[in-house]
Structure formats: C-alpha cells, structure tokens
Amino acid sequence: MAASAKSFLADAGYGEQELDANSALMELDKGLRSGKLGEQCEAVVRFPRLFQKYPFPILINSAFLKLADVFRVGNNFLRLCVLKVTQQSEKHLEKILNVDEFVKRVFSVIHSNDPVARAITLRMLGSMASIIPERKNAHHSIRQSLDSHDNVEVEAAIFAAANFSAQSKDFAAGICNKISEMIQGLATPVDLKLKLIPILQHMHHDASLASSSRQLLQQLVTSYPSTKMVIVTLHTFTLLAASSLVDIPKQIQLLLQYLKNDPRKAVKRLAIQDLKLLANKTPHTWSRENIQALCESALHTPYDSLKLGMLSVLSTLSGTIAIKQYFSSAPGTAATTARSFDLVKLAQECCYHNNRGIAAHGVRILTNISASCQEKDLLPLEQDAVFGLEALLVLCSQDDSPGAQATLKITLTCMVKLVKCRPHLSQSVVESLLTQLHSAQDAARILMCHCLAAIAMQLPVLADGMLGDLMDLYKLIGRSATDKKQELLVSLATVIFVSSQKALSSEVKTVIKQQLENASNGWTAYRIARQASRMGNHDMARELYQSLLTQVASEHFYFWLNSLKEFSHAEQCLTGLQEDNYSSALSCIAEALKSYHKGIASLTAASTPLNPLSFQCGFVKLRIDLLQAFSQLICTCNSLKTSPPPAIATTIAMTSGNDLQRCGRISNQMKHSMEEFRNLATRYGDLYQSSFDADSATLRNVELQQQSCLLISHAIEALILDPESTSFQEYSSNGTAHVESEYERRMMSVFNRVLEEVESLNRKYAPVSYLLALSPSPRNPAEPIAVQNNQQLALKVEGVVQHGSKPGLFRKIQSVCLNVSSVLQSKSGQDYKIPIDNMTNEMEQRVEPHNDYFSTQFLLNFVILGTHNITVESSVIDSNGIVWKTGPKTTIFVKSLEDPYSQQVRLQQQQGQPPSQQQQQRTAYSRF
C-alpha cells in the first residue's frame, strides 16, 4: 500500500504547466480552498512535485503551513493525504521556518474525540520526529496513547514511539520502562507485543540503556519460546547490537547457539540472515571459534537450504580479514596445513554439490582462500578451485535459466580473481573458457566473453592464442537479430579487439564488417565502434562511424558521430609516429590536428542546452593544445639546425651574465615551450577538479595527461634551461629504467585510448548539480543592491544539491565550500588612497548539506562608496577531503551609499558652516 501511494504521489501533477514558484503555490492554494473534496485531495498530493521543483525554505515553509491548516480543519481522508505527503517529503521538513506554528496546528487534532483522527495525528508527529525530537507534549501524548483501548491508536502510538526513540535520547530512556512493562504484562496481546519489541532496537544512545535493553530481550527470548516471538526478539537483538557495536561478539555467539541447538527451521533461517548482516557489517569481530562453529553446523546439517545460507555467510567472510584470522596459528600451537581446516573441507565437499548455489559458494570460498592466504601448500587448493570452476562453467553454460546465469556470473568473477592472483593458472582457465565457448548458450557466451576480455586486459600475453578461436566463433554466429545475438556480437568483437593488440588484420576487419552487415542494427555497430575506440583500433572505429552517419534521426546525433569519426582519424594518424623521425612526426601531428579541429566543430554542434558536452569539449580542446605544444617543441628543437646561434652569442652571454644566450634564440623558444606545457598541466588540473561525476579511470587518465605535461616542462627546465638545479645521479639505473618503462606503458595506454575519456561521461544518468539562492537579491539582475557604507551586508547563501539517477555513484559529497569575494568596480566618492583591505572582501565557509540542503551567512563590509561586484562560488569536498570545483558561480552587484549623517556633515563642511552642537555630539556609536 505504501509503495502504491508513493508511486501515485510521485506521478501526481504529470503534465502540469510550467509555473514560477509563487504562481504554482497559489494554484495549489486555490485547490485547497475548494469546496470539493476531490479537488482538495488533488491539490494536496501535488505538493511533493512542488517541493522537488522549488526546494527552498520560503516556499516549503508556506506550503507546509497551508497543509497544516488542511490537516487541522479537514476530514480524516484529507489528513491521511497530508500524512502521506509529509512522509514522502521528509527530507524537506528541516526547511520549515515556523516549526512551532506548524506543530501547533497539527497537534490541535490530538484532542479530538475521534480515535482515527488521533491515530493519524500520532503518525504525523512520528513522521516529524526529526525536527521535533524533544517536544515534551508530543512525548506525553505518545505515552498516553499507548494505554488507549483503540487498536488503531495504539499501533499509531507504537509507530511514533519508534521514530522518536531513534531521534531522542531522553524519550528513549523514558519510554524504555513503559515498553518493558507492556511487553511483560499479561494483559497485552501477543500480536501487540510483537509490534512493541522492535522499538528496543533504537535504545542504543548510551551504554546503560543498551545494556538494560539487552537484558530485557534476553529475558524475552527465554520466557517466550514461541517461534514468532523468538524470531522478532532475535532480530531486534541483532539490530541493537549492530547499532551499539559493543555487544556484537556476544550476539554472534547467541545466533550460532540458536543455529546449532534450535530445531525450528524458521529460527535457523533468521539466525543465518542476521549472521550475514553481521558478517557484512563487522567481519573483524568474527573469531576463529565463530567461523569453526559455523563450519561444523554447515557440515552436519541435512538441509540444502540451510547449508546454502551458512555457505553464503562463510563466502562473505572469506573475502574479508576474518579469513586470515581463521588461518593464523594460535600462539603456542603447531602450524597446521590449510587443507586440514574444516572450512577447506566444507568448500571442497560443496564444490561438486548438485545444488548450483551451494557449489558456487564452495568455489568462491576456495578462490578467496587461494587469493588471500600466502602459504606453500596451497597448490592442491588452487587445483581444487580450478577444477570446481571448470565443472560449474560446463554445468551453467548449457542452461539459460536466471539461476544458472547468476551462478555463472559468480564462477566467472572467481576465475578473473584467481587468474589475477595466481597468473600461472591463467593458461588452463583460458583454454577451458575457449573450449566451452563453442557449445554454450548465447546468454552464457556473452558473460564468458566479458571474462575473457578482463583476463586478456590483465595478462596481454594470453591474447594472441585467443584470436583464432574467437574468429572461428564469430563466423559461426547466425543471422538472427535477437537481442542476445546483438549483445554477443559486441562482446565477441570486444575480445577480438583486446586480442589483436591494436593491430587488426584486413581479414579480421572483413569478417567483422560482414557480420555487421548481415545480422546487426545501427546501435550494435555503434557499440562495436566504441569498443574499437577504447582498445586503440581507431581505423576500424572510423570506418564504422562513417557507415553510421546516414542512419541517425537528428542533427545532434549526426554531428556527434561525425566528431567521433574525425577523432578516430586523428588518433589513427598519430599511430604512424616513429622514433627519431621528426619530419614524419610533424606531418602526422599536422594531419591529426586538422581532423581534431574538424571534430571539435562537430562536437560543439552536437551539444544541446540539456546535454552541453562540457567535459568532452574541454578534453578535446586540451588534446588539440597538447598536440600543438608537441609540434612547437619539435620545431624548436629543429630550429637549432636551421638557425644556429650567431657568432657573437658568446660575447652577448658574457656581457649579459646569462649563459643561456650562448644558444641564441632557441633558449627563449624553449622557455616559451616550458611555460606552455605548465599551462596545459594547470588546465588539465582544472578539468580534473571540475569532473566530480567522472569515474576513477577517466580521472586517472586525465591525471596522467597532467603529469606528462609537468614531466616535459620539468625536463626542459632541468636539461636545457637550468641543468645545475636538478641532479639525476641520486637515482639508480635499475630504478630509473623501471619507472621509465612503467610510465611509458601507462602513457601509451592513455594516448591510444583517448576516446574512452571523451565518451565516458556521455551516459544516461545526469551529473550532480546545484541550485544557489542569494538573499537579499535584486529584482533585476543588473540592478545593484543599495547598502550604506557604515553598515554591513548580511548575505545569506542557500543551496540545494541535485543528484542524478544514481547519487554517490563514484564519490559522495561530504561538504560544500562557499567562497565569497567582492571587488570594487567603480568609485563614486572622493579620489583618495584606499587601503587594499577596504576594497575587497574574501571569505570562505564550509557547510555540510543535510538532506541535500545547505545554508550559511556572510557579513560583508563596503566602506568605500561605489559599485561592488560580489561573486559567490561553490565547490564540493568529497569524503576523502578532495576539493572539486564544480560551480556554480553567481554574481550580484552592491552599491555602497554614504550614510545621511556623514553626507550632511560633508555638505556643511563644503559650505563652510560649522556643525551644530547637537550634531557635533552625535557620532556613529552614540546612536547605539
């Protein structure tokens, strides 16, 4: 019911006209004042859309006050609608400015004679607990309603008590005894006790309260052994321990005890579920004895469903620090081999189980043990893991059911992890994948291709052996246009691109094009072209983009594809660069720049107001400038041959005292190149800081580009302009060679996959953005705000963080940094020297957004008469403390005016009249 209500409320208002905030609120207010119940309800349920569109406190405060009036005077159905709106708009509640007035209007209904109205009011108060956690009248009403004879009201009081207990330490401490009495009371029905017990999970505000709650729950577990009561009590026990943190080891032991001794399967399932929760939350609290007890239970249970659950907990623990604690030898005991542990025996026993889920968890445990534990006797375990993975691969690749595909994903993930940690196993794993690829179902083939691509990226040496088998399979794909076939074409092409190592033969190109002509649609061809770009096969990508130009439905798509075609051609030109051949290098760079300039023009034309492609355009412009800088550097180096230093260069150097003048004008050209590369590095850094929503691979590549520019500028300075400032003698030859080869490997991967960054942000989910509101704000943006020069301007900055469809995908917002600066634009007073401190304001504040809303104030001085330009710029600080310059930047104008008293005194002095006695005694401070 709650889900349907949420969807109904979310869809309400579909198709309404675009109105400004005040007009939209007035429109809804007109509906609230209507005499028809249907129009009133419609107006109420449209408020969440209004809050989402205009999420600022002034409007939200007015809207909630109107809703409170409807709640106070309306019928129960309207009250229920207001309750649903309040629950859906919970994150906007903190923006209510007149909390007292809002609560007063809502709370008045608690004195109604109608128990349903009182119940709705209690649920309303519970939904508002985050903004009124310490309201004593609300606490008192909840306690009173718990003694009501009406079941609806009591259930509402329980809901409110749970919410207030989570927010208020005082309420939790005060209600704990009341809850205890009701649970232990004989007059309380069992179903009501089952609803009261979960309130105890919120009694974690201090150690004594948590301890008393644990004692009560312990009594309940022993006093009420019925299945439902034990299940609810144990789960509350677990949630309380997970919140208070201090009693987790005791809770693990208690759950293991019930898992071992209680004969009821429902209780065992609940114990497994809670053990899984604690394994995910706090794996470091699991001792060897705990894991051993769980292994023994799994070995002895006859039920596959319970064994599956226990293995799920053990597989979770096997990927954490708990597995190392389990295999570490206890002090004073002899070291035992890994194969002698019960966990290993259990995993080996389950690897070939007839239940796919049990077998998958078994091989996952073996894989994690092989990856985590560095022991000499692990070779048999590795072989067991490989054999178990191959058996599951054969079993699941022939079945296209959802369960088999889920198991296959686990199997392939384990294969990639095992190959990464144990490279000597890679050959057998790849051979088994290639062998099984021919007979597998299409859905399984897609997943296996992903696995092969991941392995080939980690170990490129294996790629050559794959190409023949992959081409044979690519030729055998039927001409069916089903979605699975299209996906398989893309996956196989990706593995082929990885295997060909950036050099596709004409035969491979022909086979791929032929299959695309026979059995693919335009979208499949586009996806394959993107994979070719990512893997450095730019020639193939350019041909595919060219073939798609006439198959798109809009100009923006045409220009987007045309830009990708030009960029691919440019990168293909750069693949012809050869060492020690500078003339061909200049021609290759010139040809690439020609294509890049065409591409950036198309890319700019492809942008729209909703999709401005700012990152893509910024990255490509930097790429163009980088190539131009390289071209200029090569020309500068060549100029030493064509324009050597003049004969008097030595005399000029001795006269000026600058030894670089011996080289002639090339020294100034080199200095210019060095500054150009440093400027490019700065711009790459700015692009990095403005890309808060970029994935880590994109940011790493941008950072590598920045470091390459810094390295070249440093090399020019250290080797040519100032060779004495840097010494390379402190580095050993081996270390230098290692760093150089590692750098070369990483940078070549960046330059050959440039389109990966260009397309990485062209995804469906919108990036994070911000709405900033300044007050006071002028009615007309060009009109300045008037302020007297002897007063300070209180500038309030409010903002709302607007996320895309996947908030916090790569990093989370910790705080927002607001920087306010003011600059004097024009003076209107006397022309005299002004201290620099009085001309500008520079302030910075960091605020943490709560429910995506933040607010702060600045006090600004404008002593100097004239017009001042105030700039408010926001940036984001993530959970690692890194600053991201995401914007936005807002500007307003302030006009500083002379206060009337000073103006009067100045005019009298100009006219030669002495000020009156009363005016002489009056100062700026006497008025206060």
Side-chain angles (χ1 to χ4, degrees):
M1 178 180 174
S4 61
K6 276 195 170 184
S7 62
F8 168 66
L9 292 174
D11 294 339
Y14 176 78
E16 70 179 72
Q17 296 180 353
E18 293 292 329
L19 302 172
D20 63 274
N22 291 330
S23 301
L25 184 59
M26 289 175 61
E27 189 72 22
L28 293 183
D29 186 42
K30 190 187 300 181
L32 294 179
R33 296 176 183 275
S34 171
K36 298 180 180 179
L37 180 60
E39 293 181 1
Q40 288 180 307
C41 294
E42 182 185 359
V44 169
V45 300
R46 286 168 63 186
F47 271 90
R49 180 177 173 85
L50 180 72
F51 297 154
Q52 184 179 3
K53 197 171 183 180
Y54 307 103
F56 287 103
I58 294 179
L59 180 137
I60 287 174
N61 182 66
S62 301
F64 268 111
L65 289 178
K66 294 180 185 298
L67 289 174
D69 277 331
V70 173
F71 189 90
R72 179 171 55 89
V73 301
N75 57 25
N76 285 341
F77 183 70
L78 277 175
R79 290 182 182 126
L80 186 62
C81 290
V82 174
L83 171 63
K84 294 296 183 183
V85 168
T86 305
Q87 290 176 340
Q88 188 182 359
S89 309
E90 186 178 358
K91 73 175 186 177
H92 298 298
L93 290 176
E94 290 190 352
K95 301 172 191 173
I96 299 176
L97 304 176
N98 299 338
V99 176
D100 292 338
E101 184 62 30
F102 178 62
V103 174
K104 179 181 175 182
R105 297 179 188 182
V106 171
F107 193 75
S108 62
V109 187
I110 202 70
H111 305 296
S112 170
N113 290 328
D114 182 4
V116 176
R118 293 199 301 269
I120 296 175
T121 307
L122 286 168
R123 290 187 177 272
M124 187 78 173
L125 291 173
S127 303
M128 294 156 34
S130 59
I131 60 171
I132 54 167
E134 306 299 338
R135 291 294 173 108
K136 301 304 179 185
N137 53 355
H139 295 180
H140 179 68
S141 297
I142 294 170
R143 292 176 65 93
Q144 271 192 325
S145 297
L146 285 172
D147 295 327
S148 173
H149 296 289
D150 187 86
N151 288 335
V152 175
E153 186 176 357
V154 174
E155 289 181 7
I158 293 173
F159 170 82
N163 285 8
F164 272 91
S165 296
Q167 300 288 338
S168 171
K169 176 183 176 181
D170 291 342
F171 181 81
I175 203 70
C176 185
N177 291 332
K178 174 74 173 175
I179 298 295
S180 174
E181 292 173 3
M182 292 183 67
I183 293 174
Q184 294 177 327
L186 298 177
T188 308
V190 175
D191 59 337
L192 195 57
K193 290 182 181 181
L194 292 175
K195 294 174 182 175
L196 285 167
I197 290 173
I199 298 178
L200 297 174
Q201 68 182 286
H202 303 297
M203 306 297 173
H204 53 75
H205 298 282
D206 58 36
S208 61
L209 187 60
S211 176
S212 62
S213 300
R214 280 190 64 84
Q215 290 176 6
L216 173 60
L217 288 168
Q218 187 70 53
Q219 294 173 8
L220 292 174
V221 166
T222 55
S223 303
Y224 298 91
S226 65
T227 302
K228 288 185 178 179
M229 189 67 78
V230 170
I231 287 175
V232 172
T233 307
L234 277 179
H235 188 56
T236 305
F237 229 147
T238 302
L239 295 177
L240 178 61
S243 300
S244 59
L245 299 178
V246 293
D247 295 312
I248 291 179
K250 293 181 183 178
Q251 183 62 22
I252 293 173
Q253 293 176 0
L254 179 65
L255 291 171
L256 288 171
Q257 180 183 342
Y258 270 89
L259 179 62
K260 181 180 180 181
N261 299 328
D262 199 300
R264 293 168 290 189
K265 292 182 70 175
V267 176
K268 288 180 181 289
R269 288 196 195 97
L270 186 277
I272 291 171
Q273 173 189 330
D274 286 354
L275 286 170
K276 182 72 177 289
L277 185 150
L278 295 177
N280 283 314
K281 186 176 178 63
T282 55
H284 58 280
T285 60
W286 285 69
S287 65
R288 182 192 299 182
E289 291 73 19
N290 297 148
I291 300 177
Q292 182 66 25
L294 189 57
C295 290
E296 292 174 358
S297 298
L299 283 169
H300 297 135
T301 182
Y303 301 108
D304 285 352
S305 60
L306 296 180
K307 181 174 284 191
L308 178 62
M310 296 179 207
L311 282 169
S312 174
V313 178
L314 289 170
S315 67
T316 301
L317 290 171
S318 67
T320 65
I321 189 65
I323 196 68
K324 293 187 177 180
Q325 296 175 357
Y326 179 74
F327 283 106
S328 62
S329 299
T333 60
T336 55
T337 61
R339 292 177 64 87
S340 62
F341 286 95
D342 283 345
L343 179 60
V344 176
K345 293 178 182 177
L346 175 65
Q348 290 171 337
E349 177 186 304
C350 295
C351 277
Y352 304 101
H353 200 279
N354 55 7
N355 185 307
R356 284 193 302 257
I358 293 177
H361 286 304
V363 296
R364 176 187 278 179
I365 292 171
L366 284 179
T367 302
N368 288 335
I369 292 174
S370 301
S372 303
C373 301
Q374 306 292 334
E375 292 186 7
K376 295 180 180 179
D377 64 335
L378 279 182
L379 185 59
L381 283 185
E382 295 170 359
Q383 294 299 326
D384 288 341
V386 171
F387 294 153
L389 289 170
E390 290 177 351
L392 267 181
L393 178 66
V394 173
L395 178 66
C396 297
S397 61
Q398 307 298 329
D399 189 353
D400 57 356
S401 65
Q405 296 306 304
T407 305
L408 182 61
K409 286 182 182 179
I410 296 174
T411 305
L412 297 176
T413 304
C414 291
M415 282 184 170
V416 174
K417 185 173 183 178
L418 193 63
V419 168
K420 183 178 181 181
C421 301
R422 300 286 186 268
H424 60 275
L425 302 173
S426 56
Q427 191 67 41
S428 60
V429 171
V430 170
E431 287 176 0
S432 62
L433 281 169
L434 290 174
T435 303
Q436 198 60 32
L437 200 58
H438 291 276
S439 59
Q441 297 287 331
D442 285 344
R445 284 177 174 177
I446 295 168
L447 298 174
M448 293 162 70
C449 287
H450 294 168
C451 180
L452 283 170
I455 293 174
M457 291 291 288
Q458 291 177 2
L459 302 169
V461 70
L462 297 174
D464 295 336
M466 298 184 190
L467 193 56
D469 291 327
L470 293 172
M471 292 308 301
D472 292 341
L473 181 61
Y474 208 84
K475 295 175 184 177
L476 295 175
I477 296 178
R479 299 191 176 186
S480 170
T482 61
D483 292 341
K484 292 295 182 185
K485 290 288 186 184
Q486 302 296 313
E487 186 73 25
L488 182 58
L489 282 173
V490 177
S491 302
L492 268 175
T494 303
V495 185
I496 290 172
F497 293 146
V498 175
S499 305
S500 60
Q501 298 293 304
K502 305 181 180 64
L504 283 177
S505 64
S506 57
E507 180 186 356
V508 174
K509 289 183 183 178
T510 304
V511 171
I512 294 177
K513 289 180 185 176
Q514 194 171 14
Q515 280 292 350
L516 289 178
E517 291 174 0
N518 293 338
S520 76
N521 52 34
W523 178 243
T524 302
Y526 174 71
R527 292 177 64 192
I528 293 177
R530 284 190 60 181
Q531 295 299 330
S533 297
R534 288 183 64 244
M535 301 306 164
N537 297 287
H538 303 294
D539 190 29
M540 180 76 188
R542 182 180 63 81
E543 294 178 11
L544 292 177
Y545 290 135
Q546 177 69 43
S547 66
L548 291 172
L549 285 176
T550 57
Q551 300 182 31
V552 290
S554 72
E555 287 186 351
H556 297 296
F557 293 155
Y558 172 83
F559 286 121
W560 168 253
L561 289 173
N562 190 59
S563 66
L564 294 182
K565 183 200 76 172
E566 296 294 344
F567 296 152
S568 298
H569 182 254
E571 291 299 318
Q572 182 63 27
C573 294
L574 294 177
T575 57
L577 291 173
Q578 296 179 357
E579 192 175 357
D580 298 331
N581 191 349
Y582 300 115
S583 58
S584 66
L586 284 173
S587 61
C588 288
I589 293 176
E591 186 68 24
L593 283 172
K594 180 180 176 182
S595 295
Y596 259 120
H597 282 295
K598 291 181 181 177
I600 191 64
S602 292
L603 189 63
T604 306
S607 61
T608 62
L610 293 178
N611 189 19
L613 302 177
S614 54
F615 176 85
Q616 290 86 341
C617 291
F619 184 86
V620 172
K621 287 176 183 176
L622 281 171
R623 179 70 166 163
I624 292 172
D625 293 344
L626 180 64
L627 292 176
Q628 288 176 338
F630 276 122
S631 178
Q632 184 62 38
L633 181 60
I634 295 173
C635 291
T636 300
C637 294
N638 288 338
S639 68
L640 191 61
K641 302 176 183 177
T642 58
S643 179
I648 60 172
T650 304
T651 306
I652 295 174
M654 294 178 63
T655 306
S656 63
N658 185 0
D659 194 52
L660 281 176
Q661 294 296 328
R662 295 174 183 271
C663 304
R665 65 190 186 93
I666 191 175
S667 60
N668 291 328
Q669 291 176 336
M670 280 292 184
K671 188 174 182 180
H672 176 72
S673 289
M674 181 191 71
E675 293 173 352
E676 194 170 0
F677 277 105
R678 283 189 177 171
N679 181 39
L680 279 170
T682 303
R683 290 169 59 192
Y684 271 116
D686 293 340
L687 181 67
Y688 183 101
Q689 287 190 320
S690 63
S691 305
F692 178 79
D693 287 283
D695 58 280
S696 56
T698 298
L699 292 177
R700 186 172 64 250
N701 289 330
V702 172
E703 187 178 15
L704 281 173
Q705 299 274 17
Q706 180 191 20
Q707 294 301 322
S708 72
C709 295
L710 287 174
L711 180 64
I712 293 171
S713 67
H714 179 69
I716 294 173
E717 181 181 20
L719 301 177
I720 300 172
L721 300 181
D722 192 7
E724 297 180 359
S725 66
T726 305
S727 173
F728 295 100
Q729 302 300 322
E730 59 192 49
Y731 301 105
S732 65
S733 59
N734 293 334
T736 306
H738 172 71
V739 172
E740 184 179 353
S741 62
E742 176 72 7
Y743 174 79
E744 181 180 356
R745 184 185 66 80
R746 296 175 72 186
M747 287 309 302
M748 288 304 293
S749 68
V750 173
F751 291 133
N752 289 328
R753 294 193 298 161
V754 64
L755 292 184
E756 179 179 0
E757 299 94 326
V758 175
E759 294 197 8
S760 63
L761 290 185
N762 187 38
R763 49 182 182 254
K764 294 181 180 179
Y765 36 90
V768 67
S769 59
Y770 312 90
L771 291 177
L772 280 185
L774 307 182
S775 57
S777 58
R779 294 181 179 179
N780 185 1
E783 178 184 345
I785 300 169
V787 178
Q788 292 186 11
N789 68 334
N790 64 342
Q791 297 177 349
Q792 290 180 316
L793 174 67
L795 180 67
K796 184 176 182 180
V797 182
E798 298 174 289
V800 176
V801 182
Q802 294 184 318
H803 299 282
S805 58
K806 297 184 178 180
L809 181 65
F810 298 114
R811 54 199 62 86
K812 295 182 180 179
I813 298 174
Q814 182 71 26
S815 59
V816 177
C817 181
L818 295 170
N819 188 284
V820 175
S821 59
S822 69
V823 178
L824 179 64
Q825 280 199 326
S826 59
K827 287 190 299 182
S828 59
Q830 297 178 356
D831 190 12
Y832 55 86
K833 291 184 178 181
I834 305 170
I836 189 67
D837 294 340
N838 294 334
M839 294 179 62
T840 61
N841 288 283
E842 288 285 345
M843 294 186 182
E844 181 179 295
Q845 284 193 40
R846 295 187 177 186
V847 291
E848 292 188 9
H850 194 269
N851 289 328
D852 297 335
Y853 172 76
F854 58 90
S855 173
T856 189
Q857 287 187 332
F858 296 88
L859 279 178
L860 306 178
N861 287 314
F862 300 102
V863 179
I864 308 305
L865 304 183
T867 304
H868 299 257
N869 182 10
I870 301 178
T871 302
V872 180
E873 185 175 5
S874 65
S875 53
V876 167
I877 302 171
D878 64 12
S879 54
N880 296 322
I882 301 174
V883 179
W884 302 84
K885 296 180 180 178
T886 56
K889 184 185 291 186
T890 307
T891 302
I892 59 172
F893 296 96
V894 170
K895 188 169 186 179
S896 179
L897 304 175
E898 190 175 11
D899 69 289
Y901 173 71
S902 301
Q903 185 178 16
Q904 183 180 358
V905 171
R906 181 174 54 79
L907 291 175
Q908 289 180 356
Q909 288 176 349
Q910 289 177 355
Q911 295 172 2
Q913 298 177 3
S916 64
Q917 185 71 19
Q918 182 180 0
Q919 288 175 341
Q920 287 179 354
Q921 292 177 356
R922 182 183 177 190
T923 64
Y925 298 100
S926 64
R927 291 176 292 168
F928 301 101

